[in-house]
């Protein structure tokens, strides 16, 4: 008769994995929306920069176009005044720089720096 060694996870090991999973889920739920908003801003920048109607670089038209798109997608991280318009050849390049500070727990916050561009 041979003795089989039991395999499994101890209670303390299970608790440690639960804490690691909970921390990862918390970070994902807190920081995820900021990254999604940054991707949305980049998408709007690319769309506006590719549109031949804005190739002249008229700032008011670009700001109005961004405002319309930002209202639909609830972009609150930047305003149209934060957009930097650069004329490149026959087209334009849009960019912005902004920081988001996200409270995590108690007095601990995450400071995220974003630099979306239409390139």
């Amino acid at each position: 008769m041979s003795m089989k060694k039991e395999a499994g996870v101890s209670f303390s090991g299970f608790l440690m994995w639960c804490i690691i999973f909970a921390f990862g889920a918390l970070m994902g739920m807190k920081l995820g929306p900021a990254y999604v908003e940054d991707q949305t801003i980049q998408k709007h920048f690319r769309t506006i920069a590719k549109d031949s109607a804005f190739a002249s670089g008229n700032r008011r038209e670009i700001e109005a176009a961004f405002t319309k798109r930002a209202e639909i997608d609830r972009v609150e991280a930047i305003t149209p005044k934060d957009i930097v318009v650069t004329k490149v050849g026959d087209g334009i390049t849009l960019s912005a720089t902004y920081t988001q500070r996200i409270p995590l727990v108690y007095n601990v916050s995450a400071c995220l720096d974003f630099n979306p561009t239409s390139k």
Side-chain angles (χ1 to χ4, degrees), residues 11-30:
F11 184 69
S12 60
F14 175 73
L15 280 179
M16 186 148 95
W17 280 111
C18 286
I19 290 171
I20 291 170
F21 177 75
F23 180 76
L26 174 73
M27 292 297 112
M29 288 187 292
K30 291 276 192 165

Side-chain angles (χ1 to χ4, degrees), residues 23 26-35 98-114:
F23 180 76
L26 174 73
M27 292 297 112
M29 288 187 292
K30 291 276 192 165
L31 302 178
Y35 284 100
Y98 66 97
T99 301
Q100 283 190 333
R101 186 173 301 266
I102 300 169
L104 298 176
V105 288
Y106 297 108
N107 62 345
V108 177
S109 297
C111 183
L112 306 174
D113 295 323
F114 294 105

Side-chain angles (χ1 to χ4, degrees), residues 44-45 48 62-70 75 78-80 83:
H44 293 319
F45 282 0
I48 293 169
I62 293 169
E63 286 179 359
F66 180 78
T67 300
K68 288 177 187 175
R69 288 171 172 79
V75 172
I78 66 171
T79 64
I83 299 172

Side-chain angles (χ1 to χ4, degrees), residues 24-60:
L26 174 73
M27 292 297 112
M29 288 187 292
K30 291 276 192 165
L31 302 178
Y35 284 100
V36 170
E37 188 173 33
D38 180 58
Q39 291 302 315
T40 302
I41 292 169
Q42 280 192 351
K43 179 183 74 171
H44 293 319
F45 282 0
R46 287 186 191 119
T47 303
I48 293 169
K50 286 181 184 177
D51 193 345
S52 61
F54 303 112
S56 65
N58 186 343
R59 182 147 183 99
R60 284 190 185 167

